[in-house]
Amino acid sequence: MFSHTIIEPFRVRTVEPIRQTTRAERESALHQASYNVFRLDARDVLIDLLTDSGTGAMSANQWAAMMQSDESYAGARSFHRFRDAVANITHLTHVLPTHQGRAAERILFTAMVRAGDVVPNNTHFDTTRANVEDRGGIALDLPCAEGRDPELLHPFKGNMDVEALERALREHEGRVPLVMVTVTNNSGGGQPVSMANLRAVHEVCRRHGIPFFLDACRFAENAWFIKLREPGYADKTPFEIAREMFSLVDGCTMSAKKDGLANIGGFLALNDESIANRCRNNLILTEGFPTYGGLAGYDLEAIAVGLSEVLEPDYLRYRIRSVEYLAEKLQKVDVPILVPPGGHALYLDAKRFLPHVPQLEYPAWTLSCALYLEGGVRAAEIGTVMFGLQPDGNEVPARMELLRLAFPRRVYTQSHVDYLAEVIAYVRQRSHLLRGMRIVEQPPALRHFTARLAPLAPGFYAS
Ligand code: F0G
């Protein structure tokens, strides 16, 4: 067969207009939004790469399944379909639907984490960290050494540092209620975790008698990377690989807004009956009856179908390739990116993009404002605004200073990506003109969502 462009493996039959704006309009919108792109109105955004969460396009099969949902309060047929779809992939015994991933985290940690406990993770996502800390726990990030260097090429930069995990378990003996691994490692650049690493963490946890959980939001993308990069997996299907990943854990939290291909939803799945019962009681208190967990029956249907579509090889090939395609374009014009490109997102390396902006003047955040201003592109900072504020109120520079361009699933086409590359290249040419930002107002936690900022040199933002 001839080698060909990897195309979108679908055709479009419903369209949603996106709106062009002028630079002056965007300048005013950005000012109104206090230089925080979370505060922008979506109608003022042309290409929205803020997140891949809940922003995907559903398939005709998902919509069809939704029409046939069972909205019974208890024991609905839609719950059974959902539970079977989750169990088919994970083989975990107890499946609890939740309205999204962070609800699964909160419910799990409420059952398992006490004040002073330590929860190791390859890298906590912001809501996961916040939920551990909300219980009075300590969220410990243990990424492998390769994962800390945005310029280093390595196939599995999402891996956990297993020796550091051993040390942590000895040091905090009796205070580690569970170990988590996030696949793919979102805050660490959308990087995958190898099966060998999952197996090693599984072994350590088993020896110490500590439950091992996956933060499984992007399990299918992780499975595809294992297929591409890990010896022995090239001939396995993504489904088989995903099954093997889940066979190594005692439970998982999941945001179905990512690899569930749904616009809302999530779940907690686990084997331990007594913990599952505690979680179920909490679920009833805060989310809803255990067979709907804060979701409509049609949401459960959409997830059930999504979990199967997300493992289709053609979909995953296109998905991973579209991020890589942007990476290749940007590397040709010397835009510094985190390598290799992630599964759901490409990360600009703001330390190298804006070397003249100190981290406490938020270079990645600055870049988010510049991309919006010049091209109507919205992206999310994963840097010092997101991670710099410590529970004690001190501020420290984040380990990596990244701007994440997250790709909604099945939404944008190759010409959108071409346009995006042009905007970034243009900002790159003008990057020496950019100065940093200061925070004018912020909440005590998860400040990036609502903080107000101001440019240190407003000139760039004036036409
Ligand atoms: N874990 C990871 C690794 C995530 O990326 C997210 C969400 C969550 C947990 C929480 O799930 O949003 O359904 O409550 N990440 C989104 C993002 C918000 O933009 O990366 P949720």
Side-chain angles (χ1 to χ4, degrees):
M1 175 137 163
F2 70 100
S3 136
H4 60 73
T5 304
I6 294 171
I7 60 170
E8 289 86 3
F10 47 80
R11 50 187 183 182
V12 178
R13 55 178 223 165
T14 306
V15 296
E16 179 190 0
I18 49 178
R19 199 171 73 97
Q20 297 279 357
T21 48
T22 63
R23 191 180 191 276
E25 283 168 341
R26 293 192 294 272
E27 184 194 313
S28 151
L30 195 57
H31 185 73
Q32 290 291 320
S34 302
Y35 298 88
N36 181 345
V37 295
F38 277 102
R39 289 178 165 273
L40 287 169
D41 277 341
R43 72 184 294 273
D44 295 329
V45 176
L46 184 65
I47 308 267
D48 203 343
L49 307 179
L50 190 63
T51 178
D52 63 320
S53 182
T55 50
M58 288 205 293
S59 67
N61 278 336
Q62 284 177 295
W63 286 110
M66 288 172 77
M67 286 300 289
Q68 301 191 21
S69 69
D70 175 355
E71 300 299 336
S72 305
Y73 190 91
R77 190 176 61 239
S78 299
F79 171 71
H80 296 300
R81 286 216 189 97
F82 163 82
R83 188 201 50 201
D84 293 349
V86 174
N88 187 30
I89 299 168
T90 67
H91 272 228
L92 294 163
T93 323
H94 303 279
V95 179
L96 284 65
T98 58
H99 81 274
Q100 61 184 83
R102 67 198 68 181
E105 293 163 7
R106 184 186 56 75
I107 288 168
L108 179 68
F109 298 154
T110 302
M112 295 190 76
V113 179
R114 287 170 310 181
D117 280 353
V118 176
V119 180
N121 197 320
N122 48 348
T123 309
H124 288 82
F125 183 64
D126 59 355
T127 60
T128 326
R129 166 172 293 279
N131 271 304
V132 170
E133 290 172 354
D134 191 56
R135 297 290 304 155
I138 297 160
L140 188 63
D141 286 345
L142 301 175
C144 65
E146 293 85 354
R148 294 172 190 270
D149 179 354
E151 296 180 60
L152 187 86
L153 270 173
H154 182 277
F156 292 105
K157 287 170 83 170
N159 283 352
M160 180 176 255
D161 182 338
V162 181
E163 281 176 26
L165 174 66
E166 287 266 20
R167 281 198 301 277
L169 295 186
R170 279 198 300 274
E171 188 184 334
H172 305 291
E173 203 185 327
R175 290 202 294 135
V176 180
L178 76 161
V179 172
M180 283 191 100
V181 166
T182 305
V183 292
T184 56
N185 186 354
N186 184 12
S187 307
Q191 301 293 311
V193 178
S194 71
M195 194 73 82
N197 189 253
L198 289 175
R199 191 166 290 115
V201 174
H202 163 84
E203 276 304 315
V204 173
C205 288
R206 197 183 51 80
R207 240 185 302 116
H208 289 259
I210 296 173
F212 174 25
F213 276 70
L214 273 190
D215 177 339
C217 295
R218 300 176 180 85
F219 74 95
E221 290 166 8
N222 199 84
W224 187 255
F225 279 122
I226 288 177
K227 183 177 168 70
L228 292 183
R229 297 179 184 174
E230 191 159 353
Y233 288 92
D235 295 330
K236 294 212 156 81
T237 63
F239 175 72
E240 288 166 337
I241 298 171
R243 279 270 285 262
E244 188 174 334
M245 287 163 54
F246 284 105
S247 75
L248 298 169
V249 299
D250 303 291
C252 71
T253 56
M254 170 76 187
S255 168
K257 301 171 75 172
K258 284 85 169 175
D259 277 352
L261 294 182
N263 299 125
I264 194 69
F267 57 84
L268 168 63
L270 69 170
N271 285 332
D272 186 294
E273 182 155 7
S274 90
I275 298 173
N277 283 339
R278 265 185 284 157
C279 290
R280 240 182 237 113
N281 290 334
N282 192 331
L283 187 79
I284 293 175
L285 200 64
T286 55
E287 294 278 290
F289 193 72
T291 61
Y292 74 86
L295 295 171
Y298 50 72
D299 298 321
L300 296 169
E301 296 279 353
I303 297 167
V305 177
L307 285 173
S308 126
E309 290 182 354
V310 79
L311 287 167
E312 282 169 12
D314 279 351
Y315 162 75
L316 284 168
R317 186 177 296 114
Y318 135 80
R319 171 80 179 147
I320 301 303
R321 175 61 195 157
S322 38
V323 178
E324 188 184 55
Y325 174 79
L326 176 63
E328 285 169 6
K329 292 205 132 201
L330 293 183
Q331 281 176 315
K332 277 191 194 131
V333 289
D334 278 335
V335 171
I337 60 168
L338 185 149
V339 290
H344 68 299
L346 189 78
Y347 296 65
L348 302 182
D349 183 355
K351 275 190 204 168
R352 282 183 292 147
F353 204 119
L354 300 176
H356 55 286
V357 177
Q359 267 192 284
L360 292 181
E361 293 176 9
Y362 316 124
W365 193 276
T366 302
L367 214 44
S368 78
C369 293
L371 289 196
Y372 175 69
L373 182 72
E374 302 298 358
V377 171
R378 177 154 74 165
E381 189 246 33
I382 300 207
T384 302
V385 178
M386 183 181 270
F387 288 125
L389 188 62
Q390 304 302 298
D392 63 9
N394 279 335
E395 192 174 26
V396 296
R399 193 161 43 76
M400 289 197 277
E401 191 67 36
L402 304 173
L403 183 68
R404 184 187 72 172
L405 308 164
F407 282 41
R409 292 171 179 76
R410 308 189 288 203
V411 168
Y412 293 116
T413 64
Q414 190 165 328
S415 69
H416 290 118
V417 177
D418 290 339
Y419 169 83
L420 182 61
E422 287 163 16
V423 173
I424 297 166
Y426 179 72
V427 170
R428 174 77 175 143
Q429 281 164 18
R430 293 173 39 112
S431 58
H432 59 283
L433 300 171
L434 277 166
R435 295 293 172 271
M437 297 265 162
R438 67 189 169 83
I439 291 180
V440 178
E441 196 185 300
Q442 63 181 9
L446 296 179
R447 65 177 176 175
H448 51 288
F449 289 125
T450 55
R452 294 181 190 276
L453 287 93
L456 291 169
F460 184 87
Y461 299 90
S463 33

